[in-house]
Amino acid sequence: MELAYYSDYAVRLVNTEEPARSKDSLTTVESIRELFGANAQAARRATEADVTRFRSVRARLRAVFEAADSGDETLAVDLLNSLLLEFPVSPQISGHDVRDEDGRPDWHMHLADHPSNATAGFAAIAAMGLAFHLTSHGVERLGLCEAAPCRNAYLDTSTNRSRRYCSDRCATRANVAAYRARKRLEAEGSGGTRRTADTAQPSSPGTDR
């Protein structure tokens, strides 16, 4: 498993909440276990106490994305470093997949956590993954969706650093809204032009007194 994969842990956790819509899907142990994906062994450690702890880590990860999105590179790094210090991991070489017919292992880097609870394990992996993405691709690759009121987190993997939305759905919605706004301005502008032209018309003969 490549280290870049782990950065998605942070995105998945941050996006369990939509503050502008007052929505929060992180409410049960089962919702926490779903965040672990295929890592079933780690998911089984989750308990009711992790709901509150996960929400706390989520707020701190969102703060990293907010700092990056606002252009405050130093703050984003400082916030992420504090998470890395609190939730450390140990990089290890793993080879649980078979590479060829001879049965040789497919060696790759793996992050081994040593958590006291499910939150610590998830936070360690999420923070390290996000740190790997940040240092490999730049702070500006961490973004928040511009399609209000969404503000979901995303990782920009585009070749020209052009991503602005968390999904195609939000991109379409934002483009439609922008198109309608332009049409309203055009209509208002043409209406104002007509009104100006009407007031500029000379008075008809015989109307002056």
Side-chain angles (χ1 to χ4, degrees), residues 59 87 96 160:
F87 303 106
H96 53 74
N160 58 354

Side-chain angles (χ1 to χ4, degrees), residues 99-175:
R99 182 174 58 190
D100 53 30
E101 295 178 355
D102 296 331
R104 290 183 299 174
D106 182 15
W107 299 115
H108 57 274
M109 292 303 298
H110 176 79
L111 296 182
D113 54 16
H114 307 286
S116 55
N117 52 64
T119 303
F122 192 96
I125 292 173
M128 179 59 76
L130 199 57
F132 179 82
H133 190 92
L134 185 152
T135 54
S136 298
H137 305 292
V139 176
E140 64 274 13
R141 293 287 191 157
L142 279 59
L144 292 173
C145 186
E146 293 185 14
C150 178
R151 303 301 283 167
N152 272 351
Y154 65 83
L155 299 172
D156 185 359
T157 56
S158 64
T159 56
N160 58 354
R161 301 172 184 261
S162 61
R163 186 170 179 178
R164 297 166 55 201
Y165 307 105
C166 69
S167 64
D168 290 340
R169 180 181 178 183
C170 276
T172 300
R173 183 161 54 86
N175 289 334

Side-chain angles (χ1 to χ4, degrees), residues 53-118:
R53 290 193 287 253
F54 259 73
R55 287 177 171 175
S56 176
V57 171
R58 179 180 64 189
R60 294 171 67 182
L61 285 171
R62 175 170 281 278
V64 174
F65 279 92
E66 289 175 342
D69 189 65
S70 67
D72 196 335
E73 184 172 342
T74 300
L75 178 58
V77 170
D78 287 345
L79 292 171
L80 192 49
N81 272 336
S82 68
L83 284 164
L84 291 169
L85 286 172
E86 187 173 344
F87 303 106
V89 294
S90 301
Q92 295 180 351
I93 300 174
S94 177
H96 53 74
D97 295 323
V98 177
R99 182 174 58 190
D100 53 30
E101 295 178 355
D102 296 331
R104 290 183 299 174
D106 182 15
W107 299 115
H108 57 274
M109 292 303 298
H110 176 79
L111 296 182
D113 54 16
H114 307 286
S116 55
N117 52 64

